[in-house]
Amino acid sequence: SRNDLLLHFLFLSFLLLLTHIMNDNGSICIKANAQSCGECIQVSEICGWCTDEFLSEGESKSARCDDVTYLKKKDCKNIEDPRGSTEITQNKDVTVRNKDGNVKLKPEEITQIQPQKLKVTLRSGEPQTFDLKFKRAEDYPIDLYYLMDLSFSMKDDLENVKNLGTDLMREMREITSDFRIGFGSFVEKTVMPYISTTPARLINPCSNNENCTSPFSYKNVLKLTSNGDRFNQLVSQQQISGNLDSPEGGFDAIMQVAVCEEQIGWRNVTRLLVFSTDAGFHFAGDGKLGGIVLPNDGKCHLENNVYSMSHYYDYPSIAHLVQKLSDHNIQTIFAVTEEFQPVYQELKNLIPKSAVGTLSSNSSNVIKLIIDAYNSLSSEVILENSKLPEGVSISYKAFCKNGVRGTEDNGRKCTNISIGDEVSFKISIESQKCPSGGKPEVITVKPLGFNEEVAIELNFICDCECAKKGEPNSPKCHGGNGIFECGACKCNEGRIGRECECSKDEVRSDDLDANCRKPNSTDICSNNGECLCGTCECKKRENPAEVYSGKYCECDNFNCDRSGNLLCGGHGRCECRKCICDTNYTGNACECSLDESTCLAKNGQLCNGRGKCECGICKCEDPKFQGPTCEVCPTCPGVCTEHKDCVQCRAFGDGEKKEMCQKECSYFNLIKVKDRKDLPQPTDQSFPLTHCKEKDANDCWFYYTYAITKNSTKEVFVVEKLDCPSGPDIIPIVAGVVAGIVLIGLALLLIWKLLMIIHDRREFAKFEKEKMNAKWDTGENPIYKSAVTTVINPKYEGK
């Protein structure tokens, strides 16, 4: 079936691709031109060195270095192919205990990461993988240092922090039974323009008769302690200070808290730094405003618990701060007001294992903020490794809760981890080259914010075992000019050749150069190499995949014809400036595909029978046909219209081609059927089929199908009887028209009669109404006029 053929084709393509890759990788070993076993095994993990005497006459000793598979095919018995390994040297199980248990372990007795030490032996190109397990221990000790901004704007906040010690101690006891708290404060560098240096302002920097303390950069008020009352006592004694500019010198304080481990009292436990402020921060470079140009040295400078070098060293940079916080396993909680949330959110993105909380205007929510931030930080584990040796890379794959997996950048971390949860990581280490000296290196992998780490000792395979048995100044190497090791000569300084037979000072003599020129040519090694000991040593190119080859370096694998800007069209390999095409491709640049499947039209014909398939593309012979398979014809009638006249003349002896039917319409086989249901259907055929319905000059319909079979035969099935419409029945039509006219006339008369009756009734009603309204005076003749006339004198006033 077609599916089976497709699967078979894909399988063959896979085998060809695999063979190509194997051949290409095998050539990597040869292209390297390795002159010793040590050089060979550094090329790739697939390369091996043959120590047998198997080289042909004139063959370079670099031919000993090849893919191990091919060396075996060449009947090499002794092959140097060292392998890397991984050995776990310390593997204590992670600690399982309960907070309410009777046994209280010291911090150093708690194990959350497994294994603890490994020894990894690396060969170039061969990764070594091991599993790392992490489990959050219950009741793990916590050290929390509260670093507070004591500039004047934090006055109301200080009042709420004065009772923080006992309250926070009580809340944190729900998380751990071993909790310690410390306190420090900061303001600003004690130089202009950060503070006012007038004598009065140095004593009291606040205005309005406020009682403020002298400005300072950073002060360690309370070393970490488990005494919450002592915290409250010392904090209640603190006074607000003041400065001139808005940003504060908090970075100076953070740096000192991180690096002064002994003065702060940090233990090797979970370390939390709460940074509380309502302003922004100065960072590296801002010190120039005060004439301070020396970069921060990242060292502890506390004298009597006060930072003494703020006027001498600039603020630390963010990167410097990140490094120190990471080195000392400190997790930072920024408790800042809502106004500066965006600024510290950006800072959080730069500092791993840090959190930002919104501080209320008077710090009344600080305890809830700390608890929430700690839960957020502790629910996430992020792995970090120390600086890697040159050429060494490391990759991570995470296996987190609920089947969640992470790779690449997400392979370093797991989130939503609760106490007692166990997650694992698969860590792979690979070396691309042997470091200079080849000495063992130690790297560490640790979860950020935790003091535990995995120590990994890296050992590098830089040479073969057989090299230890080498014979110095061996007579096999042209009178002692090299070390005979691993079946070949490793030449001394200044000597070259298969048996170290040449000196670098003698390699350019005319006699030797003659062996490096092609016949009838003056170019030495085709200008693509050097003549060494009468043998061409071809040049190396920047791209290691591009090589010169041949006895006279006359060949290369990168100057072949191109197609689509790809060497050999991407469908072949370049050998000695000539394309060797893959299967189903041909042409100078392998640009021509022999696969004709792209030329098949919908009817199964190549190029729809209207053209030729060349290089997998249809060349249409008839100019009116277009498209990738010559099926598009904008000026052509449809299939049905195109064959209508021929079908009509052959099936019914009628139509426009009736006179020329025999000559022009014999290109198809005609099969007549009795009824439309007898016509073939598309589902009955394995080739395209077109159903047609056409009308003749007498308005009769005829039905047929047109198809081209697989053997290119054209078939037409036609219904033998025309479908002609019957004529109209005149009598019913005339009777219906007459009846309609009569009915319409009667209806109009009835309507007219009804309207007249309504009009007469309205007139009679109107007459009756006027008759009822008429009034006649029957006591006096309406035309009678009295003979008496009464005249009134207008001047008469009745006197």
Side-chain angles (χ1 to χ4, degrees), residues 263 269 372 401 426 520 588 641:
Q263 291 87 337
V269 297
D372 292 344
K401 287 177 61 178
K426 189 174 288 294
N520 301 323
N588 292 335
T641 306

Side-chain angles (χ1 to χ4, degrees), residues 617-631:
I617 300 174
C618 282
K619 302 294 183 182
C620 302
E621 295 175 338
D622 192 334
K624 67 181 180 180
F625 284 92
Q626 306 170 6
T629 53
C630 302
E631 291 181 276

Side-chain angles (χ1 to χ4, degrees), residues 597-637:
S597 61
T598 56
C599 295
L600 289 176
K602 293 180 180 179
N603 58 14
Q605 286 187 307
L606 285 176
C607 301
N608 195 31
R610 308 282 185 176
K612 295 180 180 180
C613 184
E614 297 179 2
C615 299
I617 300 174
C618 282
K619 302 294 183 182
C620 302
E621 295 175 338
D622 192 334
K624 67 181 180 180
F625 284 92
Q626 306 170 6
T629 53
C630 302
E631 291 181 276
V632 179
C633 182
T635 60
C636 295

Side-chain angles (χ1 to χ4, degrees), residues 338-372:
E338 186 174 1
E339 179 184 358
F340 288 91
Q341 277 285 312
V343 176
Y344 283 90
Q345 282 289 352
E346 292 297 325
L347 182 61
K348 168 190 173 295
N349 295 334
L350 300 174
I351 302 179
K353 291 293 283 187
S354 61
V356 177
T358 303
L359 192 67
S360 62
S361 59
N362 59 2
S363 296
S364 58
N365 68 329
V366 66
I367 292 180
K368 183 178 185 303
L369 185 153
I370 292 172
I371 298 296
D372 292 344

